[in-house]
Amino acid sequence: MRRLLALRAGKGLTAGHVRVAADALGVSERTVWRWLAAAGRDEAAADEPGARAQTSTRFTITPEVRGLLALWKGNVRAVHRELVLRAARQSSPGGAPSLTTLHRAIRRDLTPGERAGLAGGERAARKHDVFLARPRGWRNQVWETDHKQVPVLVDVDGKARRPWITWFTDCATNAITGVAVTPVYPSRESVLSALRSAVLHEEPYGPFGGLPEKVRVDRGKDFLSRTVTAAFDLLDVTVEDLPAYTPHLKGTVEGLNRAVESMFLAALPGYARQPRPGKRPSRPKDEALLGFEEFTARLLAWTAWWNTAHQPAPLRGRTPLEAWQDDPTPLRDVSAADLWTFTLEDAGTRTLTTRGIRFRKRDYVGAWMTGQAGIQVRIRFMPHHDHRIEVYHAATGRYLGPADLADQATDEQISAVRRARAARSRRLKKDLQAVQRERYAAVNQPAAPQLLGALTAAQAEAELAHAAGTSLSDLALPDLIPPAAPPADWRTPPSLATRTAPGRLPAPFPSEPAPRRLPGQTADPAEHGDAS
């Protein structure tokens, strides 16, 4: 750089010299000319061409700027406008930094994670964090479980619904050990059903199974319900309750949730996130949806493919089945009968009577109850399966048999009840929508809200009459039985005296004192009938 300065001082500097220097330094010719201009103003700049001058007045990110970035969700231009306004109000001698300086300071003083966090919160900042990978461990050391609502519309009794998947996965082998599918939002019954399919390893559940040492959950109320936690305690399984909104702490099942959508669900008919033509993407009206049974069959087939043919990257060329079979860790097994008992909800003890067992204000009977009336039994049942209960002897714990609901409604009656409930729900929804359709006038000056919507007198009377027909207080008939006549020494207005029954006397109240007579009042009501 000093040689170029010497050439320029001797007026021997040409464009060729600048071009050669730019090629040697790997910069543009314009940059070299700018460096020469800076060196002409300050000879020290020739020693480090391109180095920015370090001054004590360099703008840095202060807590005030960080607060503004959080307030404006990372909008740097909005923060710059705010700084300019504040500098103008405070008459700051240095003034506000330029927009370029502010951008440069943000890139220099804030990490990418901090910038993302100030703009989008902690979840956005977490995308820039570095996470350690847990050791693979051994099979059945740790399982992870989760619910996932699939983005696929499925025909469930004539309605398009998005089913839910509940599954368990083994962290050491990436195997899906158990799965359960529900047409609507899952419950503790879904967790128990998936747990039974995960623990049992005979057909049709495959070789995967046994009891795990630990299960990771994410504060889901279904996984932490009393029934599920009691089942895990009986099976000697530790439940690790992870903090909320920490999907990175159960990465195995979260990775499975992402993989099933891109590898399987995206190709199914009724996929809700499929790109659609038009301004308002919607599902074609003639699109044929899968039935719930067919969807479940395809999902289970994909689960079998994942376990036996797919080779996840952490397994380094092996399938989950091969990784499972190569692991010599012994399995903790439990019989199907004991597992069924442990995964039922306990309802306490009851007395077996001649009418069966009384549970939730309903009677349950079974053929094995003959001659057993009078004994104490313990009831266990599957949540939400009200048609049957399992009965055990209260003293010995011996299984006695199932009991079915007596006088159970027919399918036609159940369908009629469901139709009536649906009609009631539609009426309620219509009423709520009518309330939400209330409109207010638009204003361009501060003013009180003005409700719009004009009614004629006839419309108002008709609506009030309809509302009066549904109010019990308005349906009352107070004049159907006239009230009894008051005592003779009471002052009664003529307008009320004509509306009483003269032949009926009020019931005596011994504890109530006699009414006080006003001064100058006589006992004859005719003498003061017009006093009012």
Side-chain angles (χ1 to χ4, degrees), residues 436-451:
Q436 294 175 355
R437 282 198 296 267
E438 293 180 347
R439 296 183 180 275
Y440 289 84
V443 297
N444 48 29
Q445 295 293 333
Q450 179 182 358
L451 184 63

Side-chain angles (χ1 to χ4, degrees), residues 19 33 40 79 120 132 166 196 199 203 229 231 253 275 329 348 356 376 402 414 419 476 490 499 518:
R19 187 179 304 108
W33 285 111
V79 173
L132 298 176
T166 304
R196 279 194 294 271
V199 173
E203 293 298 332
T229 53
V253 71
T329 304
Q376 293 289 322
I414 295 175
R419 287 194 299 270
W490 282 22
R499 299 173 60 185
L518 298 176

Side-chain angles (χ1 to χ4, degrees), residues 124-447:
R126 195 183 299 130
K127 297 179 180 179
H128 298 270
D129 293 343
V130 177
F131 303 102
L132 298 176
R134 290 192 180 98
R136 300 299 297 179
W138 53 89
R139 64 180 182 181
N140 284 353
Q141 180 191 16
V142 179
W143 285 1
E144 292 179 356
T145 180
D146 196 12
H147 294 311
K148 176 179 176 58
Q149 186 180 24
V150 299
V152 176
L153 294 175
V154 176
D155 185 6
V156 180
D157 293 335
K159 295 182 179 180
R161 299 182 181 273
R162 294 174 56 183
W164 286 77
I165 304 175
T166 304
W167 44 24
F168 289 83
T169 179
D170 181 60
C171 295
T173 62
N174 285 69
I176 302 175
T177 56
V179 61
V181 188
T182 49
V184 292
Y185 193 82
S187 64
R188 60 188 186 278
E189 183 259 344
S190 307
V191 180
L192 296 176
S193 178
L195 178 61
R196 279 194 294 271
S197 67
V199 173
L200 297 176
H201 52 78
E202 63 267 11
E203 293 298 332
Y205 304 109
F208 309 98
L211 293 176
E213 300 179 14
K214 182 189 296 185
V215 173
R216 295 194 186 106
V217 300
D218 58 352
R219 291 188 179 272
K221 63 179 182 179
D222 303 324
F223 298 103
L224 299 178
S225 63
R226 181 181 61 183
T227 305
V228 176
T229 53
F232 281 132
D233 290 340
L234 291 173
L235 297 173
D236 193 20
V237 176
T238 303
V239 178
E240 183 180 357
D241 184 16
L242 300 175
Y245 305 107
T246 54
H248 57 284
L249 296 181
K250 53 182 183 67
T252 303
V253 71
E254 292 293 342
L256 178 62
N257 289 337
R258 293 189 298 268
V260 69
E261 180 171 353
S262 60
M263 301 174 66
F264 170 64
L265 299 176
L268 295 181
Y271 181 60
R273 298 171 184 169
Q274 185 72 28
R276 308 287 186 184
K279 296 181 179 179
R280 296 186 61 183
S282 60
R283 183 174 62 89
K285 296 182 180 180
D286 57 347
E287 183 178 15
L289 301 180
L290 294 176
F292 179 72
E293 183 177 0
E294 184 179 359
F295 170 78
T296 304
R298 292 195 182 189
L299 176 65
L300 295 180
W302 181 85
T303 302
W305 171 84
W306 174 278
N307 286 336
T308 59
H310 180 55
Q311 298 176 349
L315 300 183
R316 299 179 180 179
R318 295 184 300 171
T319 64
L321 177 60
E322 293 172 346
W324 181 275
Q325 293 174 343
D326 294 342
D327 194 332
T329 304
L331 303 178
R332 291 194 304 153
D333 293 330
V334 61
S335 64
D338 292 342
L339 181 62
W340 172 257
T341 303
F342 293 156
T343 54
L344 294 176
E345 188 167 339
D346 191 353
T349 59
R350 300 288 193 281
T351 300
L352 178 59
T353 65
T354 56
R355 298 182 57 182
I357 299 175
R358 191 71 174 173
F359 175 58
R360 291 182 175 176
K361 300 181 181 181
R362 298 186 294 185
D363 295 325
Y364 290 80
V365 296
W368 57 269
M369 294 182 180
T370 304
Q372 304 261 7
I375 65 173
Q376 293 289 322
V377 297
R378 178 172 291 276
I379 298 175
R380 301 183 72 92
F381 67 99
M382 173 61 67
H384 310 297
H385 290 248
D386 299 334
H387 63 282
R388 170 172 291 190
I389 59 175
E390 305 293 336
V391 186
Y392 298 81
H393 197 280
T396 62
R398 181 172 55 90
Y399 177 64
L400 299 178
D404 295 321
L405 179 64
D407 194 20
Q408 186 172 355
T410 62
D411 294 339
E412 292 78 10
Q413 292 173 326
I414 295 175
S415 299
V417 171
R418 289 178 177 174
R419 287 194 299 270
R421 291 176 179 176
R424 181 183 60 189
S425 177
R426 287 194 298 269
R427 288 195 300 270
L428 178 60
K429 183 178 179 181
K430 185 177 180 180
D431 294 340
L432 295 177
Q433 289 177 348
V435 174
Q436 294 175 355
R437 282 198 296 267
E438 293 180 347
R439 296 183 180 275
Y440 289 84
V443 297
N444 48 29
Q445 295 293 333

